[in-house]
């Protein structure tokens, strides 16, 4: 009844389980301007306790745009689900690694992201565990996204390079990679395998 309106994503999420949608409104489309994805490669990792139909303990998405010679990280976008009351981007991490040689951001991006997150303890995971996941999965997401641009063709080798701790298995049917992330802990990280 009020017509059509556009809401920037930064204003869409109002709090836990709340979005900027009135009772008589329906979301009809999400507009992503070409400049926000053109020239980028990306990767999303969903950490969950089970393989199927599980709510994420933490989700991380990383987009990377490399220089023409693939030697410099020209731009990066890092976003999280379940690392704060609403989905967030880590502008501190993005600003901190932009312009660095391509192999350097993976070791720095997770620590920088800690400045922007505010995870909570829930029945699925403690705050401390989520903080550890942010540190580890940020670098993994960056490595995977940037390796696609660098032309690493073998996805299994690429995954083993990303998760230095050691990939224990790759299950293409379930589209998951099992990675040892902490001593004594095996995790399922959802990976978009080639």
């Amino acid at each position: 009844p009020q017509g059509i309106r556009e809401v920037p994503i930064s204003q869409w999420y109002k709090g836990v389980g709340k979005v900027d949608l009135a009772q008589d409104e329906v979301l009809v489309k999400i507009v992503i301007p070409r400049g926000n994805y053109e020239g980028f490669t990306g990767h999303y990792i969903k950490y969950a306790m089970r393989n199927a139909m599980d709510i994420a303990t933490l989700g991380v998405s990383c987009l990377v745009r490399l220089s023409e010679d693939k030697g410099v990280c020209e731009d990066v976008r890092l976003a999280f689900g379940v690392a704060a009351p609403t989905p967030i981007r880590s502008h501190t991490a993005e600003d901190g690694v932009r312009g660095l040689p391509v192999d350097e951001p993976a070791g720095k991006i997770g620590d920088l992201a800690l400045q922007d997150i505010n995870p909570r303890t829930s029945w699925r995971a403690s705050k401390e565990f989520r903080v550890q996941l942010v540190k580890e999965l940020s670098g993994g997401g960056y490595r995977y996204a940037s390796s696609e641009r660098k032309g690493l063709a073998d996805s299994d080798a690429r995954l083993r390079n990303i998760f230095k701790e050691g990939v224990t298995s790759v299950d293409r049917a379930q589209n998951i990679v099992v990675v040892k992330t902490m001593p004594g802990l095996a995790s399922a990280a959802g990976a978009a395998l080639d």
Side-chain angles (χ1 to χ4, degrees):
Q2 300 296 321
I4 296 173
R5 67 184 180 112
E6 290 186 13
V7 179
I9 191 70
S10 61
Q11 297 170 22
W12 175 248
Y13 295 100
K14 295 297 185 184
V16 179
K18 298 177 182 167
V19 294
D20 187 8
L21 191 66
Q23 195 161 349
D24 62 346
E25 291 180 317
V26 174
L27 176 66
V28 294
K29 66 181 172 181
I30 297 172
V31 178
I32 304 172
R34 181 177 289 240
N36 287 356
Y37 63 84
E38 194 169 60
F40 284 87
T41 56
H43 189 65
Y44 175 76
I45 300 170
K46 173 187 173 186
Y47 182 94
M49 298 308 227
R50 299 180 311 155
N51 295 340
M53 300 291 291
D54 199 11
I55 298 171
T57 302
L58 186 92
V60 59
S61 179
C62 187
L63 295 175
V64 177
R65 184 175 63 214
L66 299 180
S67 61
E68 184 94 16
D69 67 357
K70 313 279 189 265
V72 175
C73 172
E74 282 188 347
D75 202 359
V76 63
R77 313 277 169 82
L78 185 66
F80 299 98
V82 202
T86 63
I88 60 162
R89 277 184 57 192
S90 178
H91 295 286
T92 302
E94 294 170 4
D95 294 342
V97 301
R98 194 175 288 117
L100 293 178
V102 70
D103 293 327
E104 288 185 27
K108 298 178 179 184
I109 200 166
D111 286 326
L112 290 167
L114 296 181
Q115 297 176 47
D116 294 330
I117 65 166
N118 184 25
R120 66 181 177 90
T121 294
S122 73
W123 65 270
R124 282 192 304 271
S126 68
K127 175 180 181 172
E128 295 77 18
F129 184 65
R130 285 190 171 107
V131 165
Q132 184 66 30
L133 288 175
V134 165
K135 287 176 68 171
E136 291 186 28
L137 297 182
S138 297
Y142 173 83
R143 281 189 202 99
Y144 197 95
S146 64
S147 68
E148 289 183 16
R149 292 297 295 203
K150 287 167 40 180
L152 299 178
D154 180 2
S155 63
D156 289 4
R158 188 166 56 224
L159 290 166
R160 285 182 172 79
N161 183 48
I162 291 164
F163 296 102
K164 305 282 187 194
E165 304 294 316
V167 171
T168 57
S169 67
V170 176
D171 184 343
R172 293 187 179 284
Q174 292 291 322
N175 199 30
I176 62 166
V177 180
V178 178
V179 183
K180 179 182 175 190
T181 59
M182 300 164 114
L185 176 70
S187 66
L193 301 176
D194 297 330

